[in-house]
Amino acid sequence: MTEKTKKTAEKKAPPVKEKSVIETPAMKQPATVHDVAKLAGVGSMTVSRVVNGSTAVSAKMRKRVEDAIKELNYVPNLAARAARSGQRRIGIIFSNPKSSNLGDFLMGAFAASSALGCQLLIEPLLAHPQPIDALKKLIELGAQGVILPPPICDSLEAQQLARRHDILPLSFASGSPRLHSPAVLIDDFAGARAMTHYLQSLGHTKIAFVKGDPKHSPANSRAEGFLAAMAEANLEVPAHWMPDGDFTYRCALDVGKALLDVPKKQRPTAIFACNDEMATGLLAVAHGLGLKVPQDVSVAGFDDTAMATAVWPQLTTIHQPLAEMAKSAVTMLDDMLKTAPRISEHDGVVRHFVAPYKLMKRDSTGPVGGVTAT
């Protein structure tokens, strides 16, 4: 073939036809059964049979459907199927299996689900590479509503993902609940402010605060409540008296040593920790240094977990009614699902339940240099 003939043939050659792909834009909307059917060149009923494991589909056709499902990253909408059957499924994500809060939370959630007759689907964050993957798993399992704890409750991506799948997301214990989504919480700011005022009423002016994980909005709200109360009393807080923490006992051991293993004049007379676990670590440091609690240093926590009354001296803390909050969260979602199982069918009224906190005054706090408070 001459060069001229070759060029002529190239001009006349028809364009190569690209493989037909259903665009499920990366993805503005998740792929549907109809998208899979179109790509596979079959009917929607055939796709449903393959998804449901029916044997009434030829091996060749099943392979085409399965290839299309894989290419489109299609997730069967089990939530819609559950809604049609009248079964209410509520997903729960939990972040820390070692947390002393988890037992109370699950006890309240199971009590509510048992009374209401709904099913709970429990998924741990630690079982997934990314927090959002836990939510995706619950979507695959057919959850119609999901209870999201910190920090995923504050994720706009998580909220949007749930809504794209027509699933109700509820923020649990968020420090900054979304205005467009249901939520169950306490006023962390007010609780921390109340605790700080209480310490001030005992004569403390040199108060340190151990912060929590900054990815958790309640930790930030509690820090803001502490600072607000200190500002109201016209008291300054040195930067090193607000060390970073991560909610764990171990981190409190290092933080506590930095705060307390110094000359008396450089020590705070009271330390308020962002949760009970860190407060317990602070107690251990104080005991190890030979300091008396509360005579030499008062220690306060937040949450009122079981460990608050299992240590010596027992912790002054803010009671967060986790079991009742979990009951309220399950009840709220169940009620919304019974009214309308799809988020698109709801009336747009946002329901926020703010549970009451309580200041628990115990033996770990007392007057400056004085005796135990009663």
Side-chain angles (χ1 to χ4, degrees):
M1 180 184 291
T2 65
E3 189 66 27
K4 183 177 180 180
T5 307
K6 185 177 180 182
K7 289 183 178 179
T8 302
E10 288 176 350
K11 287 181 180 179
K12 292 181 179 180
V16 177
K17 189 175 180 180
E18 298 270 343
K19 183 179 180 181
S20 175
V21 175
I22 306 301
E23 290 188 4
T24 52
M27 291 264 306
K28 288 185 179 178
Q29 293 295 331
T32 67
V33 67
H34 304 294
D35 295 329
V36 175
K38 186 175 180 180
L39 181 58
V42 299
S44 299
M45 187 59 69
T46 300
V47 176
S48 296
R49 290 192 183 103
V50 172
V51 169
N52 292 325
S54 172
T55 57
V57 181
S58 69
K60 183 177 180 180
M61 194 169 289
R62 180 181 300 278
K63 178 69 164 55
R64 282 162 52 188
V65 172
E66 289 174 345
D67 288 345
I69 287 173
K70 184 176 181 181
E71 183 168 339
L72 294 175
N73 195 28
Y74 169 67
V75 177
N77 194 341
L78 299 180
R81 189 183 308 166
R84 288 194 296 271
S85 69
Q87 183 183 34
R88 301 182 305 283
R89 293 183 176 185
I90 295 174
I92 294 178
I93 294 175
F94 66 89
S95 54
N96 182 5
K98 296 181 180 179
S99 171
S100 50
N101 293 337
L102 183 60
D104 286 343
F105 173 81
L106 290 179
M107 181 176 65
F110 286 132
S113 67
S114 177
L116 296 167
C118 60
Q119 181 182 0
L120 296 185
L121 307 171
I122 313 297
E123 192 65 29
L125 279 180
L126 291 182
H128 302 276
Q130 298 296 329
I132 198 70
D133 294 328
L135 177 55
K136 291 177 181 177
K137 180 64 175 180
L138 288 175
I139 292 171
E140 291 177 15
L141 293 174
Q144 297 163 273
V146 288
I147 297 174
L148 306 175
I152 196 173
C153 62
D154 301 312
S155 165
L156 185 57
E157 180 188 7
Q159 294 276 341
Q160 291 174 336
L161 178 63
R163 290 172 179 276
R164 283 203 304 272
H165 286 272
D166 221 6
I167 292 171
L168 285 164
L170 181 144
S171 296
F172 187 86
S174 171
S176 53
R178 301 284 177 181
L179 297 178
H180 61 281
S181 293
V184 173
L185 64 151
I186 65 166
D187 191 335
D188 292 281
F189 176 92
R193 181 170 173 264
M195 176 62 79
T196 309
H197 281 320
Y198 172 64
L199 293 174
Q200 291 167 351
S201 75
L202 296 174
H204 295 283
T205 58
K206 299 168 64 177
I207 308 173
F209 181 85
V210 181
K211 295 185 287 186
D213 187 337
K215 296 190 295 292
H216 290 234
S217 57
N220 300 324
S221 295
R222 294 172 190 182
E224 290 170 5
F226 166 74
L227 286 173
M230 295 296 282
E232 288 164 359
N234 199 29
L235 296 173
E236 293 185 4
V237 185
H240 68 282
W241 279 8
M242 285 195 71
D244 294 328
D246 62 5
F247 287 134
T248 67
Y249 179 93
R250 181 170 296 278
C251 93
L253 298 181
D254 295 331
V255 167
K257 187 172 178 60
L259 289 171
L260 296 174
D261 194 12
V262 294
K264 182 176 180 179
K265 289 185 178 180
Q266 298 176 25
R267 287 199 312 256
T269 61
I271 307 176
F272 178 14
C274 199
N275 74 338
D276 290 344
E277 195 163 334
M278 292 194 297
T280 302
L282 295 173
L283 285 179
V285 173
H287 294 327
L289 293 173
L291 299 176
K292 294 181 180 179
V293 179
Q295 292 88 343
D296 295 322
V297 61
S298 286
V299 177
F302 203 114
D303 288 332
D304 197 23
T305 58
M307 67 171 55
T309 52
V311 294
W312 177 82
Q314 294 188 1
L315 274 175
T316 293
T317 187
I318 295 293
H319 177 70
Q320 180 174 208
L322 277 175
E324 293 304 316
M325 290 167 66
K327 285 183 184 178
S328 297
V330 172
T331 301
M332 184 185 296
L333 274 183
D334 186 72
D335 180 62
M336 295 176 73
L337 291 172
K338 283 189 289 189
T339 303
R342 298 168 66 88
I343 193 171
S344 56
E345 298 170 352
H346 278 274
D347 53 16
V349 176
V350 178
R351 298 165 176 83
H352 284 185
F353 173 67
V354 182
Y357 66 84
K358 184 177 180 182
L359 174 55
M360 309 299 294
K361 301 175 183 179
R362 299 195 181 107
D363 292 346
S364 67
T365 54
V368 179
V371 295
T372 301
T374 59

